Amino acid sequence: MSIPRGSQVQTRFSSFMRKGLLEVPSPTEKDWPKDDEDDYVFADVGQEVDSLPQPYLMINKMVNLLFDKCWEVIQERDALRDVEFNRTQPTTYPPLVESKLNKMPNCMAISQDYVFFGGAKGFSIYNLYNAKRIYIWEKLKVDVTSIWATDLGNEILIAPVDETGIARLFYFYKDGLFLIKAINEVDDASKQTTCIKMEISQGGDFAAFLLQGAGDIWLDVYKLPKESWLKEVEHPQPALNPKKKVRQPQLNTLEPMTSENLEMDMNVCFRGDIKLSLPVHIMKIKPPKPVTGTTFKSPLEVFAKVEDYYGLGSGQNHFIKDSQWEQLAAIFLASHQKYLDKEWEEEPPSMATFHFLLPSRIITMPVEVKGPSGVACVLGIHWAGSHNFFFYSLHRTLKDKVDPEGVWPCAAPIAVSQLSCTCTFLVLACEDGVLTLWDLAEGFPLGVIALPKGCSCQSIHFLKYFLVHEGQNMYPESPLKSQMKCVVLCTDSSLYLVTAKGTQGPTISVLVERPVKHLDEAICAVAPVLALPGMLLIFGKNGSVQLMDVAKPQIICAFVLPRTYHLAVPWKPLFAVSVQHPCFLLRGDHPDEIESDDTKDIQNSVFYFNLEAYPLLENISRNHTIPETDMTENTAFAQVLPLEKRCESFLQKRFQKLEKKVKEQEHWTRLRRYSLLLQRENFRK
């Protein structure tokens, strides 16, 4: 049979092919393998795939790789969906109050019953409960980027910082707002400095501002005359020329009076005609100089340089020559040259962390320096990349020489430091993951503990010490000594609880492990709710806000924004938690408003969450204090009490037992006498 030329008919051959590779048979027939039907497979020779030429072979591999990766993503999403479906979702609660703002707030702070929003051209004051605006101060040409509010009792000290880095102090008292001073504002723009960070002491007696300018950085410390402010506000004396007409203070000198302004919660006015006493500049602290070769000729000169042993341990006064430094540097380079990509130079510090410390047993001050109790007396500071934690006395003037009164050297550079809200405990976290816990009030370290390998501290948050009584977290009626709890958030989004009890040594436990597969569940911020014992707010990168009970630990509930709102920057949420009240504020952004170019019609909202109003937290907020009598009677809490309380309780119980025993003996003695009298009467009869 002949096949015509050009015909499309092809002859296909099918055959049985053996699985696996063919082998050379052995010479003897006994060793030949027995054929099995399963060893053969039916193959169509016409369906064999020919190898593709380039570049089609590469394209084919890329397409197959793309399909494989897509399939892996689909399988991962299906598994995550199944896990989410099977996992018990916490109860979600919406906000109670929505406060709509005309301008997007850049920052917020809570003090007493007021909320302070920093935004475009100034800041505004709102009532915490009814979300009504009290006053708005807009006299700047730039926006306010950060704001602090400190409770002074009946007054509030407000400190906003604008985009140009200028920090201002305001005094808010009853129905008046007073501008105290612009801390770093100068007439010459070329000499303008920038405020990077600030801190106000507990009670508002001192303030510190970290300033930067002209390639230099330093810390300015001021003493605040708050007693003079109160007298000047209650008995105002306008510092104006009497020949000039006195302009009556208005509610807002820039905006006209509108119906919205008339509906304010209270009448607050800006009293620009009253000048308050200015803060007193007492100290300027600069970063420590790099350690270089000594200029001393003998060790006696080194010790003579250190006056009263202040600053001993800072490394500034030593007897190491330049030749020794050069020799050590050469040895280091010879040993680690292969690990160094480029020439290494020590960078000057660009950031500092500082705290105001109260008088305590661990901080020794001169005998002639005595201040009132509850007022800060020492400033503790550590610079970025430094091993040393310095102490500077606040009882000095600007003319005095600025030398540290004490130094705490650490084995590694200090990464994070945190002071408790009661100024009782201090935690120093080094870059190697080691935490040092200090009890400043009692004057001894609570212990040293290390984070798990590979973890580095990002932030530390103190919890008010609580106890678990009958399955519920409760605060002791009286504060306990040398008992602390803090939460440590690491850079890998893992969360740990550190507990220290006197001399027993600190312990560490895992609250949230590091996310491995689902990175969107990573924790970006945490905030303790001090009004509720053992409660911690957790903010996730996926926009979730959850409340955790650190004692169990487990998620109690979650908080969600309305469907039309979400967090524009979920990895950096804008929120504020009240210290005195169980509530917090969270800024919500509308998707359409974020993409809109017209900023006039944008309505930004801040949502108010009151934890007392939710059913799951209602019982916790009402009953969260354990009486001292229950603590003394409960043997589980006996070790938590201070030694004086335990001795007093032991002696009281011992006295009660003795008293009971004496009463029983007296009772039996009376019964015996009565029985003897009866016997005598019977004998007489």
Side-chain angles (χ1 to χ4, degrees), residues 6 15 72 184 194 218 232 261 278 325 330 335 373 450 452 471 493 528 584 668 683:
S15 61
E72 291 178 0
N184 57 329
T194 303
W218 66 92
E232 293 167 356
N261 292 334
L278 299 179
W325 285 116
S335 304
S373 60
S493 297
F584 71 97
W668 285 110
F683 181 75

Side-chain angles (χ1 to χ4, degrees), residues 52 115 680:
L52 296 174
V115 185
R680 290 179 181 177

